[in-house]
Amino acid sequence: SPTAPQGLRRPAQVKLSPQAVARAYANLTSAAIKLRDYAGAWRRINDAAAYFSSQECDSWSNYVLAWQARLEFEQGNWDAAGAVANHID
């Protein structure tokens, strides 16, 4: 049987910067909300919040908070949307 190329045998170990990981969380969050995958969006927001609290990613935290406010708004939680928006720096 043919042998797989060396690079395909095992996933590469890639070290990402905290900013790259934060950007990925932000993109996953916004995509879930745009696709109306609200349950998925909440999971991403919670995962992002846990990650952001362990890193210095304030600007990305604000970006995800803005998406969280939109998520609350789209689900009819207007007071919650306003409260989240008020926490954005």
Side-chain angles (χ1 to χ4, degrees), residues 8-85:
L8 296 179
R9 289 186 186 163
R10 191 169 146 198
Q13 299 296 322
V14 177
K15 176 83 171 148
L16 297 174
S17 72
Q19 292 298 318
V21 174
R23 184 173 38 256
Y25 276 122
N27 289 336
L28 290 168
T29 299
S30 64
I33 293 169
K34 288 176 186 178
L35 294 171
R36 307 292 194 261
D37 175 11
Y38 297 136
W42 281 116
R43 283 192 303 276
R44 300 298 178 257
I45 288 168
N46 291 329
D47 291 346
Y51 181 78
F52 295 156
S53 70
S54 70
Q55 304 293 321
E56 292 184 19
C57 301
D58 293 336
S59 62
W60 290 108
S61 179
N62 285 329
Y63 184 80
V64 170
L65 279 175
W67 279 101
Q68 181 179 346
R70 177 175 166 174
L71 175 60
E72 293 283 15
F73 179 82
E74 286 187 13
Q75 293 184 300
N77 303 321
W78 299 293
D79 290 339
V84 171

